[in-house]
Amino acid sequence: MKKNIQILRKKFEKYKIDGYVVPKNDDYFTEYSKINRLKIISNFSGSAGLAIILKNKNYLFTDGRYTIQSKIESGKNFKIYGFEKLINCNLFKNLTLGIDPKLFTNTQIKNYFLKYNKIKSVNKNLIDEIKKQRENFKIPFFSLNKNIVGESINSKIKKISKYLKKNKSDYIFISAPENVAWILNIRGGDGPNSPVPNSRLIISKTKKILLISKIEKCKKLIKNKTIKLNQFLDINELPNKLTKLKGKKFIIDDKSCSIFHENLINSKFKIVSREDPSYLLKAIKNKAEINNMINAHIIDGVALTKFIYWMKKINKNKITEVDAAKRLERFRKMNKNFLYPSFDTIAGSGKNGAIVHYRAKKENCRNINKTDIFLCDSGGQYKYGTTDVTRTICFSNQGKNIKNIFTKVLKGHIAVAMTNININDIGKKIDKRARKFLNESNLDYSHGTGHGVGFFLNVHEGPQSINKINKVKIKPGMVLSNEPGYYKKNYFGIRIENLVYVDKKKGKLFFKNLTMAPIEKDLINFNLLTFYEKNYLFKYHLDVYSKISKYLKPNEKKWLASLI
């Protein structure tokens, strides 16, 4: 890492810059990518971060999930701050910072650097000059049947066309691969944990489309007539093609349209809006998607229940955190519909559980002890559905303090699950319900309470979420996580996470659980639960048993029944 920093600094004089900014994202702005320039320069492996390398100092900015992890991985060579410190701070006043214009949006630059800094676009990526990273073309894009996704390509393009006409625009540039995937009912293999197809899409108000990618990835789509050859555009031909398009107005996406692509479009067209409607359209799952997700979670619940039952025998099995993560994946692989994890499993025992996005590695992981509490956050990509679940379990009787905290986290989890969405209709309001019981004891957690989840796509998906600032209205068909927690540095971590979807009956909106896996009862102080909370827990475990018990062995089934 030090050597890479030195090589980078030697380039500053050539490009007449005082520093260089390295984001976590690739040029498709995906959260998880096989390309990770930030790790090359900083050793930080989290999913959200940004480094600024100056001539004499290095800075790393990240969010509350990675406070501990960033210090462990990068603290020796970088000053660590939260993202809030980056916004218009004085640290880089009067300095010229170099960026790769393909890795930043204009919105990001305005939010982070507008007030004090000079930003200079460098048309070569300086990290790639140190260590070149390449995309993987091994997995071609593939189509999903309408019966799986529940809506045809034509229907989705018609909705986009209607949006263009309403906004008096000729074209929209879909720059987020997950939105391209949704519109064209396609998937790919460009993410390490998500079936994203790295591509972009232009749609006209007359419903014409251009899929922008590499021909190696699109041959299968052309062969099966998902798209026609004249609807494909090689990524390198985009600048030339834009000059030939007729019309005057474009819509772009301020979340994923890079400065590079915005400048290309802006050179000929007027940008009339920066909002891609696909995010909200994609967030509202139809009946077919919800039913597929329900089935995926039953399969996933079976694997997780088998895993928890196996883990509860910790006194007989001496295992490490890595052993535990591998065993859980083995349980998931028992089902033919499992493809791969939806993210790298977080398996943290004892003090490692306090690192919100901890990743156990063979060379530095802990043995799981009988006295530990163990936090496991994991998920799977299935045909067809995406799962994400966290359980905190114990192997021996724990002290009153830990039980009380776990119970307050559980009360927050139940409060979210039982939300009257007609009243608490945005994530900001629901988030307060999740934190209420911890806050009464002056306790809290630094991450959001919930995020949106894709259908056989990204495990993190907007625009809906449950956090302190989100104001997106919660609508029927949306899928979110419900995951309050608490973390005591150097001691333990607690998190309870289910995925839920929004259902509607007789005009009332409410959450229904997708996740089907038992919650640790040995960590609950039942004296702190109300009658309604106890009843919720009883009904939840009864529902879990009714849906997954037939797939369990007799001893596993008997254990699960004892939790009701």
Side-chain angles (χ1 to χ4, degrees):
M1 175 174 58
K2 279 186 178 181
K3 186 179 178 182
N4 290 340
I5 291 171
Q6 289 170 358
I7 296 170
L8 176 61
R9 283 176 173 159
K10 287 178 182 178
K11 298 176 183 290
F12 289 0
E13 188 175 344
K14 177 183 177 182
Y15 294 101
K16 296 179 181 178
I17 56 177
D18 301 304
Y20 192 67
V21 188
V22 185
K24 165 63 179 70
N25 58 273
D26 62 6
D27 57 348
Y28 288 95
F29 294 86
T30 49
E31 180 180 18
Y32 300 110
S33 172
K34 292 173 182 176
I35 293 174
N36 192 343
R37 298 177 179 95
L38 182 59
K39 192 173 191 303
I40 290 171
I41 204 67
S42 70
N43 197 46
F44 175 62
S45 61
S47 64
L50 179 146
I52 299 179
I53 315 299
L54 302 181
K55 292 174 182 177
N56 299 308
K57 293 179 181 178
N58 309 313
Y59 296 89
L60 177 66
F61 300 88
T62 186
D63 63 36
R65 294 172 296 171
Y66 297 110
T67 303
I68 299 173
Q69 181 181 333
S70 58
K71 289 175 181 176
I72 293 170
E73 294 180 339
S74 309
K76 288 182 181 179
N77 296 288
F78 285 78
K79 290 190 174 183
I80 313 291
Y81 292 109
F83 275 124
E84 67 280 358
K85 178 72 174 178
L86 175 61
I87 299 172
N88 294 329
C89 68
N90 282 307
L91 292 170
F92 315 108
K93 190 174 181 180
N94 299 323
L95 298 179
T96 299
L97 300 179
I99 64 163
D100 180 343
K102 291 183 178 179
L103 301 183
F104 287 89
T105 66
N106 269 313
T107 301
Q108 288 175 318
I109 297 301
K110 287 174 184 176
N111 287 343
Y112 293 154
F113 304 115
L114 181 64
K115 190 173 180 181
Y116 296 116
N117 304 108
K118 299 173 186 176
I119 298 298
K120 183 176 182 179
S121 289
V122 179
N123 290 326
K124 289 184 178 180
N125 188 284
L126 302 189
I127 305 302
D128 287 354
E129 289 190 343
I130 297 169
K131 186 177 180 180
K132 182 67 177 175
Q133 297 187 88
R134 300 180 185 279
E135 279 192 73
N136 181 3
F137 295 118
K138 289 181 180 178
I139 302 175
F141 299 164
F142 57 94
S143 301
L144 299 182
N145 191 285
K146 182 192 168 184
N147 295 333
I148 297 296
V149 296
E151 186 177 3
S152 70
I153 300 170
N154 288 339
S155 172
K156 293 175 180 180
I157 291 174
K158 188 176 180 180
K159 288 177 181 178
I160 302 293
S161 171
K162 187 177 179 181
Y163 181 84
L164 286 168
K165 290 174 183 176
K166 183 180 177 183
N167 286 272
K168 298 178 180 178
S169 183
D170 300 298
Y171 303 96
I172 186 169
F173 182 58
I174 309 287
S175 45
E178 63 268 29
N179 292 346
V180 178
W182 177 79
I183 294 167
L184 297 183
N185 292 338
I186 63 173
R187 299 296 187 267
D190 294 320
N193 303 102
S194 302
V196 291
N198 277 354
S199 55
R200 299 179 177 96
L201 184 68
I202 292 175
I203 302 176
S204 75
K205 65 181 180 183
T206 58
K207 304 175 196 170
K208 291 180 180 178
I209 65 168
L210 275 175
L211 177 61
I212 306 156
S213 189
K214 294 282 187 182
I215 191 65
E216 297 98 323
K217 295 185 179 185
C218 298
K219 284 180 179 177
K220 203 171 181 179
L221 299 184
I222 295 168
K223 187 177 180 180
N224 66 21
K225 298 182 180 178
T226 299
I227 63 166
K228 298 174 184 176
L229 185 59
N230 64 1
Q231 293 174 319
F232 166 78
L233 181 68
D234 186 273
I235 194 167
N236 297 315
E237 294 297 317
L238 179 59
N240 183 48
K241 185 66 179 179
L242 282 170
T243 63
K244 297 177 181 178
L245 290 178
K246 294 179 181 180
K248 296 180 179 179
K249 297 177 181 178
F250 246 94
I251 291 174
I252 65 170
D253 172 23
D254 68 351
K255 299 179 189 67
S256 64
C257 183
S258 68
I259 294 170
F260 174 82
H261 285 108
E262 181 174 337
N263 288 345
L264 272 180
I265 294 168
N266 215 14
S267 64
K268 183 185 175 184
F269 299 90
K270 181 181 179 182
I271 294 171
V272 296
S273 174
R274 297 172 179 274
E275 185 176 355
D276 180 354
S278 309
Y279 287 107
L280 184 57
L281 292 169
K282 174 165 58 68
I284 299 170
K285 311 294 187 289
N286 57 47
K287 287 183 180 180
E289 290 172 315
I290 291 294
N291 286 336
N292 277 306
M293 291 191 84
I294 288 170
N295 292 332
H297 279 82
I298 290 171
I299 292 167
D300 199 59
V302 172
L304 196 66
T305 301
K306 286 176 173 288
F307 170 72
I308 294 171
Y309 176 78
W310 178 79
M311 283 293 294
K312 293 290 272 184
K313 296 178 179 181
I314 189 86
N315 57 324
K316 296 178 183 178
N317 302 313
K318 195 169 185 178
I319 60 169
T320 68
E321 294 163 330
V322 169
D323 293 332
K326 286 182 177 178
R327 180 57 68 105
L328 176 52
E329 188 167 344
R330 278 171 60 187
F331 280 121
R332 284 192 165 111
K333 284 179 177 176
M334 289 170 66
N335 192 284
K336 64 181 181 180
N337 289 317
F338 174 75
L339 299 173
Y340 44 82
S342 54
F343 56 94
D344 292 337
T345 296
I346 299 165
S349 61
K351 66 178 183 178
N352 288 341
I355 303 171
V356 180
H357 273 204
Y358 171 72
R359 296 290 189 269
K361 297 176 183 176
K362 193 174 182 180
E363 60 271 18
N364 67 357
C365 67
R366 296 178 78 245
N367 284 325
I368 301 171
N369 299 313
K370 190 177 179 181
T371 55
D372 289 338
I373 60 172
F374 175 65
L375 186 155
C376 187
D377 187 347
S378 68
Q381 294 286 7
Y382 291 87
K383 298 178 184 177
Y384 297 90
T386 302
T387 72
D388 180 7
V389 54
T390 308
R391 289 294 182 264
T392 307
I393 61 176
C394 66
F395 316 103
S396 61
N397 191 37
Q398 297 292 318
K400 185 178 179 181
N401 181 51
I402 285 179
K403 285 186 176 182
N404 286 350
I405 293 173
F406 181 90
T407 307
K408 287 170 185 176
V409 171
L410 176 61
K411 286 169 75 71
H413 176 90
I414 294 173
V416 171
M418 297 179 73
T419 296
N420 182 339
I421 304 173
N422 290 66
I423 297 171
N424 298 292
D425 59 349
I426 59 174
K428 184 178 178 180
K429 293 179 182 178
I430 301 170
D431 188 79
K432 289 180 181 178
R433 292 172 58 82
R435 298 176 195 272
K436 176 185 174 184
F437 304 99
L438 286 167
N439 289 169
E440 286 171 354
S441 303
N442 295 316
L443 304 175
D444 205 350
Y445 47 96
S446 59
H447 56 78
T449 299
H451 54 83
V453 180
F455 168 70
F456 186 40
L457 259 177
N458 292 330
V459 75
H460 294 150
E461 170 184 289
Q464 79 280 16
S465 66
I466 303 172
N467 60 37
K468 292 178 180 180
I469 60 172
N470 193 282
K471 296 180 181 179
V472 174
K473 204 156 190 177
I474 305 297
K475 296 184 177 183
M478 285 184 169
V479 175
L480 297 112
S481 68
N482 170 11
E483 51 179 313
Y486 178 75
Y487 314 89
K488 187 172 182 180
K489 186 178 178 181
N490 293 326
Y491 286 95
F492 62 86
I494 292 169
R495 186 160 66 251
I496 305 168
E497 176 187 18
N498 278 7
L499 296 193
V500 296
Y501 72 94
V502 183
D503 202 358
K504 183 177 182 179
K505 283 185 181 176
K506 297 180 180 178
K508 291 185 178 181
L509 299 180
F510 53 93
F511 287 129
K512 290 192 76 171
N513 279 303
L514 286 165
T515 303
M516 290 289 125
I519 294 170
E520 177 63 275
K521 294 185 82 172
D522 292 336
L523 282 171
I524 299 174
N525 179 352
F526 282 91
N527 293 326
L528 297 182
L529 295 183
T530 65
F531 169 80
Y532 296 103
E533 290 165 339
K534 290 175 184 175
N535 192 43
Y536 169 88
L537 204 59
F538 167 77
K539 286 183 176 178
Y540 177 70
H541 280 130
L542 186 63
D543 194 25
V544 170
Y545 184 85
S546 67
K547 285 185 170 68
I548 72 171
S549 61
K550 61 183 177 182
Y551 304 108
L552 301 176
K553 293 178 180 178
N555 52 348
E556 296 165 338
K557 188 186 293 190
K558 185 179 179 181
W559 169 76
L560 184 61
S562 71
L563 301 178
I564 299 173

